[in-house]
Amino acid sequence: MFSRGLWGYLPANILQGLIGFATLMVFTRVLTPEAYGIYALTFGVSSLAQTAFFTWIEASMARFYPAHARDDTEAPVLYGTLYRLFIGVALLFGAVCITGLVLWPAHTPSAHALKTAIALGLGSVVARSLAKLVQEQRKSEGRVAMAAMIDMSQTVGAFVIGVGCALAGVGGASPVLGGGLIALFLLPFIVREDWGRAIRGRFERAQAVQFAYYGFPVSASLILTLALYTADRFLIAHFLNDAEAGAYHAGFSLASRILDVLFIWFGAAGAPAMVHALENGGEAALKATARHQLRTIAFVLFPAVGGLVMVAPSLGGLLIGEGLRDQALGVTPLIALGALFSGLNTYYFLQAFTLARKTRLLVAAMSVPAISNIGLNLALIPVMGLQGAALASAISFGLGLAASWGLGLNTLRLPVPLTDLAKTAACVLVMMAVLAVMPRWGGIAELAAKSLTGMAIYGALAWLLDLNDMRAPTLAIINRLRAKVFARATS
């Protein structure tokens, strides 16, 4: 299931990466540095609101659908309960948002612009959450093509509509508003099946309590994760200014976007695969699946981080607007390292708690990096500026990974193949050393030369060390191609 999911979600994640670059390239040029900073803050607030109110429902769908669908694929209790809960939460969410916006004073033009942007961002949350709920069900059921289609439609639509909004003068809310509008457009086409199941389903209070008991800690842990991703922007805006926050967000987007797309790709295929392995084969099957997943993640992500650090100056010159570029590139290496720690934690080590249904431990695990991140930012930003924020991010994500691994030892111990990870890291360090001595001349030429050189060096070393058992399947592919060429030549 994991391998099938990887190939099925590959087009969607390639598209996400391309649109991520396009988003960075376009919005850092179309928006002013101040407006881009408002976008960073708006994105953080709307993501926090969605996580606080709706993510626990999405997480329950992802975790419990396989069990509820064993006897009836329509899962009447699951659908009837979760969708009625969604409606109730949406009404509560609307009331809270309206009250908060009415009470929020905005006496200056910049404060009014931020308030307007956040209002538009919050207005898009319900539609985005409902689309996410549908997508989580498709993933959990193994309907890879449909889940990927939803993802690709939202990715492209959000970018196109967001650019249109920015050109129309909407300002910093444009990218977030684009995501809400495309979700609203897609819902009539993707949610009909689910609404039918929900109407035919039935609400059970005991199940609602179980979903809440499982899902609330998931939401709480993700809120702490978002605090890691957003608190530094607010602290930068407080200690420095909105433009500095925009520059930091641009650097964060450059450093983490590729890695986030790759981790989301592995997570989309990996999380359902681990749930199915545990439900159908027990812990032995789970550990075999988990080991394979971690080795595969390291095989792809370790060189991605190393390569990104080495090509960041040339890549940033192409993607980031001149007004934000220099400061953004200064924080790229540390943010890339932190993004690697964060991804490994989120998409592997924290899975132990969701699989074991001990989601309260998610909160304990994520409290460590969240608290340390705020403390380090308060200490380092006034002294080191944006570099201090980036250093705080890397350290806190590393502490979070260590905390999750330690707590997982007594919960559901997932394997950590240290020898394989060390060999992979050694190959990446050699690749980075070679790229470091190559001349810098900038532009696409440098980016292409270093990218191809890095891939060649890492590929050769990986072949020699047989990383991730790549040699046998690679030889099989080569032999098949050789046989086809020979057959055509002799026919």
Side-chain angles (χ1 to χ4, degrees), residues 5 34 36 55 74 91 109 113 118 180 189 207 216 223 231 281 302 332 338 342 357 362 377 383 412 446 484:
E34 290 76 15
Y36 195 81
T55 294
E74 293 206 350
L91 294 173
I118 288 177
F189 302 100
Q207 288 296 311
F216 283 169
I223 289 170
F302 283 13
T332 297
S342 173
R357 299 187 184 181
L362 288 171
N377 271 292
V383 179
L412 182 61
E446 179 186 348
K484 287 182 180 180

Side-chain angles (χ1 to χ4, degrees), residues 54-65 82 132-133 136 211 214-216 218-219 222 354 359:
F54 296 101
T55 294
W56 68 278
I57 301 176
E58 301 160 10
S60 297
M61 175 66 81
R63 180 63 182 89
F64 289 99
Y65 179 81
L82 286 182
K132 180 67 173 176
L133 181 60
E136 289 298 333
F211 297 150
Y214 171 85
F216 283 169
V218 174
S219 290
L222 290 175
T354 58
T359 51

Side-chain angles (χ1 to χ4, degrees), residues 162-200:
V163 171
C165 291
L167 294 175
V170 175
S174 300
V176 179
L177 183 59
L181 291 175
I182 188 59
L184 195 62
F185 173 78
L186 290 174
L187 283 176
F189 302 100
I190 65 175
V191 82
R192 288 178 295 178
E193 169 189 333
D194 302 80
W195 276 124
R197 291 183 177 185
I199 292 170
R200 293 190 297 271

Side-chain angles (χ1 to χ4, degrees), residues 6-17 148 151-152 265:
L6 283 180
W7 289 111
Y9 292 119
L10 181 60
N13 283 271
I14 291 175
L15 183 63
Q16 272 199 11
D151 190 273
M152 289 188 289
W265 175 40

Side-chain angles (χ1 to χ4, degrees), residues 51-274:
T51 302
F53 282 85
F54 296 101
T55 294
W56 68 278
I57 301 176
E58 301 160 10
S60 297
M61 175 66 81
R63 180 63 182 89
F64 289 99
Y65 179 81
H68 278 256
R70 284 200 192 107
D71 300 324
D72 185 348
T73 56
E74 293 206 350
V77 173
L78 180 79
Y79 267 93
T81 303
L82 286 182
Y83 272 82
R84 285 164 176 79
L85 287 171
F86 188 94
I87 293 171
V89 171
L91 294 173
L92 175 63
F93 174 75
V96 171
C97 289
I98 291 172
T99 302
L101 290 169
V102 169
L103 296 177
W104 181 2
H107 302 303
T108 65
S110 60
H112 181 73
L114 179 59
K115 179 178 179 179
T116 301
I118 288 177
L120 292 172
L122 292 174
S124 69
V125 165
V126 174
R128 286 163 42 204
S129 298
L130 185 53
K132 180 67 173 176
L133 181 60
V134 174
Q135 188 178 11
E136 289 298 333
Q137 189 279 331
R138 304 298 187 266
K139 289 180 183 178
S140 185
E141 194 176 0
R143 295 163 64 180
V144 174
M146 179 59 71
M149 184 278 293
I150 295 172
D151 190 273
M152 289 188 289
S153 300
Q154 289 194 111
T155 299
V156 175
F159 174 71
V160 172
I161 297 173
V163 171
C165 291
L167 294 175
V170 175
S174 300
V176 179
L177 183 59
L181 291 175
I182 188 59
L184 195 62
F185 173 78
L186 290 174
L187 283 176
F189 302 100
I190 65 175
V191 82
R192 288 178 295 178
E193 169 189 333
D194 302 80
W195 276 124
R197 291 183 177 185
I199 292 170
R200 293 190 297 271
R202 62 185 184 275
F203 179 87
E204 287 192 3
R205 185 177 180 277
Q207 288 296 311
V209 172
Q210 183 184 24
F211 297 150
Y213 186 81
Y214 171 85
F216 283 169
V218 174
S219 290
S221 70
L222 290 175
I223 289 170
L224 293 172
T225 302
L226 282 172
L228 282 164
Y229 279 100
T230 58
D232 47 11
R233 275 69 155 182
F234 286 95
L235 291 172
I236 290 169
H238 172 72
F239 285 113
L240 305 174
N241 53 57
D242 287 347
E244 297 270 8
Y248 183 82
H249 187 74
F252 206 98
S253 298
L254 175 68
S256 67
R257 185 59 183 169
I258 298 175
L259 308 182
D260 285 346
V261 167
L262 291 172
F263 273 120
I264 290 170
W265 175 40
F266 282 112
M274 285 200 279

Side-chain angles (χ1 to χ4, degrees), residues 10 119 145 208 221 245 255 269 299 308-309 330 393 431 487:
L10 181 60
S221 70
F299 182 76
L308 178 61
V309 170
S393 175
M431 176 195 75

